[in-house]
Amino acid sequence: MNHNISEELFIKAKAMIPGGVNSPVRAFKSAGCNPIFIEKAAGSKIYDADGNEYIDYVGSWGPMILGHCHPKVVEAIQKTAASGASFGAPTALETELAELVCAAYPNIERIRMVSSGTEATMSAIRLARGYTGRDKILKFDGCYHGHADSLLVKAGSGLATFGVPTSPGVPADFAKLTLTATYNDLANVKEIVAANKGEIACIILEAIAGNMGCVPPVAGFLQGLREICTAEGILLIIDEVMTGFRVAYGGAQERYGVRGDLVCLGKIIGGGLPVGAFGGKKEIMDSLSPEGGIYQAGTLSGNPLAMSAGIATLKLIQEEGFYQQLEEKSAYLENGLQQVTENSSVATCWQRVGGMFCTYFQNGPVNNFDDALKSDTDAFGRYFRSMLDQGINLAPAQFEAGFMSIAHSKEDLDKTITAVEKALAAV
Ligand code: KE4
């Protein structure tokens, strides 16, 4: 494939934008090649600046569950834009999207819109701290909840239960308030909670960890966290920015039957436009300004354009049979890939929940971040580049999830399966 124009655009971008991208993963560093610059998209396809066509399994990192440029979503955005993009004042559209989301999540009695997943989790954590009067939080290694300071933290060394920054610019004293545990390890959570009794405001997790590939919760893990939080007065924050409306209309909480005290959402509820949200029990949410004293705000929070895209998207995906179709497409791809990989000498492990999935380059299984780190990331890079060259756009990093859309056709899936066979030979 010819990428001359993308290469030129990358050089120009790097002259103005750090790394040439507005979000690091887009730079393809983990893929071992320069990024493609996208010019347009439609359905399951994206098209780069050189006119190359790709079957897209990134889908803007999850939002494009309907496929790109769904006519009804485009129409909703165009119609709203003709009346004004943003007013900095309340609109009925915000309440309409709030009603749709709350109808899908019985544990969300009140919800506030923001403009990114990071804002949603950052705000939920401040709310949990203000509501409980406690300062410490607990997260899981390998889970990503956006780039707020409290969340760019990893386990401290040795027996230290406090966290240390994963990024320069996060004060050590701040990171110390973030405890980190091993995903899917309830015993580890119990020992950390016991060592910090009465001091933890919240436990935050991805109910399906989509930022270390695709790691489902083991049986009893979510329920165990729920019981610990209830017993200890800790708020359980379930970050469904990625899984919300992805693995079921009611997200991972519908799938696994465990309810958080607070829920964070994003991606699909914006239909590709900037929307995040956090919500939960009225008693907790009403602690937020202007009702309560916990401050949280945003100029473009709930803006009409983004609300319109989200409303149009949720109305379409709540239609009868949508998730059954998505499951059938995802299972078809999985079965095809399993057959191909069974005949390959390359060690791979495929993990999937609904329309999100990951191919790990190792034998697996992957139940936590330490497991995920055993993957052969060089092999992933060679595989990724071969798939891209064959017109398949995968998530450009081993520790990311891929996403199915309802627009992917059987022809797309068959082409993908064939491409995998050739790509594994290149690994
Ligand atoms: P944003 O601030 O990027 O909108 O959302 C942060 C976030 C929060 N919670 C979860 C579970 C998430 O997956 C994310 C963001 N996901 C990544 C993809 N792994 C976004 C891609 C990127 O950073 O460019």
Side-chain angles (χ1 to χ4, degrees), residues 80 83-99 111 113 299-309 311:
T80 302
S83 302
S86 184
F87 313 115
T91 67
L93 290 168
E94 294 153 79
T95 309
E96 187 176 354
L97 183 58
E99 286 169 343
I111 189 168
M113 304 294 170
T299 303
L300 296 176
S301 296
N303 81 81
L305 278 191
M307 295 298 101
S308 299
I311 291 162

Side-chain angles (χ1 to χ4, degrees), residues 138-141 155-156 158-162 179-196 200 203 221 224-225 228 368-370:
L138 192 156
K139 74 175 290 290
F140 292 90
D141 281 335
L159 294 176
T161 60
F162 55 79
L179 310 170
T180 53
T182 300
Y183 196 78
N184 276 324
D185 184 343
L186 268 185
N188 183 220
V189 173
K190 286 175 182 169
E191 65 187 9
I192 293 172
V193 168
N196 297 271
I200 299 173
I203 293 178
F221 178 60
L225 288 178
I228 291 167
N368 58 47
F369 195 43
D370 284 344

Side-chain angles (χ1 to χ4, degrees), residues 133-368:
R134 302 176 181 179
D135 290 340
K136 292 182 179 176
I137 69 171
L138 192 156
K139 74 175 290 290
F140 292 90
D141 281 335
C143 283
Y144 175 71
H145 305 286
H147 62 92
D149 283 351
S150 298
L151 294 162
L152 295 181
V153 174
K154 64 183 176 186
S157 59
L159 294 176
T161 60
F162 55 79
V164 296
T166 57
S167 164
V170 175
D173 282 350
F174 206 68
K176 282 182 177 174
L177 293 173
T178 301
L179 310 170
T180 53
T182 300
Y183 196 78
N184 276 324
D185 184 343
L186 268 185
N188 183 220
V189 173
K190 286 175 182 169
E191 65 187 9
I192 293 172
V193 168
N196 297 271
K197 196 151 184 66
E199 299 180 306
I200 299 173
C202 62
I203 293 178
I204 184 169
L205 83 157
E206 297 175 62
I208 300 159
N211 288 284
M212 48 174 141
C214 182
V215 180
V218 298
F221 178 60
L222 298 179
Q223 188 54 44
L225 288 178
R226 178 65 273 169
E227 289 164 8
I228 291 167
C229 287
T230 302
E232 299 287 338
I234 297 171
L235 296 190
L236 180 59
I237 301 178
I238 300 185
D239 177 352
E240 291 224 52
V241 168
M242 183 184 289
T243 55
F245 299 94
R246 164 59 56 183
V247 297
Y249 189 68
Q253 291 173 77
E254 175 187 308
R255 201 174 179 103
Y256 296 109
V258 175
R259 298 283 166 192
D261 299 300
L262 290 173
V263 181
C264 299
L265 294 161
K267 296 183 191 279
I268 290 171
I269 67 168
L273 268 65
V275 179
F278 63 106
K281 293 173 185 161
K282 178 182 182 306
E283 177 204 343
I284 301 173
M285 293 297 290
D286 280 352
S287 307
L288 285 170
S289 174
E291 293 296 304
I294 301 171
Y295 196 69
Q296 185 277 332
T299 303
L300 296 176
S301 296
N303 81 81
L305 278 191
M307 295 298 101
S308 299
I311 291 162
T313 298
L314 295 199
K315 284 183 174 177
L316 286 162
I317 66 176
Q318 67 181 204
E319 285 175 1
E320 187 66 33
F322 179 88
Y323 287 93
Q324 184 185 332
Q325 271 190 67
L326 197 72
E327 174 58 28
E328 286 165 3
K329 292 173 186 284
S330 305
Y332 183 88
L333 180 64
E334 175 172 6
N335 295 335
L337 296 189
Q338 297 291 39
Q339 285 171 34
V340 167
T341 50
E342 270 165 16
N343 302 327
S344 163
S345 60
V346 178
T348 55
C349 163
W350 166 275
Q351 296 189 179
R352 173 177 76 87
V353 181
M356 63 186 277
F357 44 78
C358 175
T359 301
Y360 292 99
F361 281 78
Q362 57 161 288
N363 287 313
V366 176
N367 287 315
N368 58 47

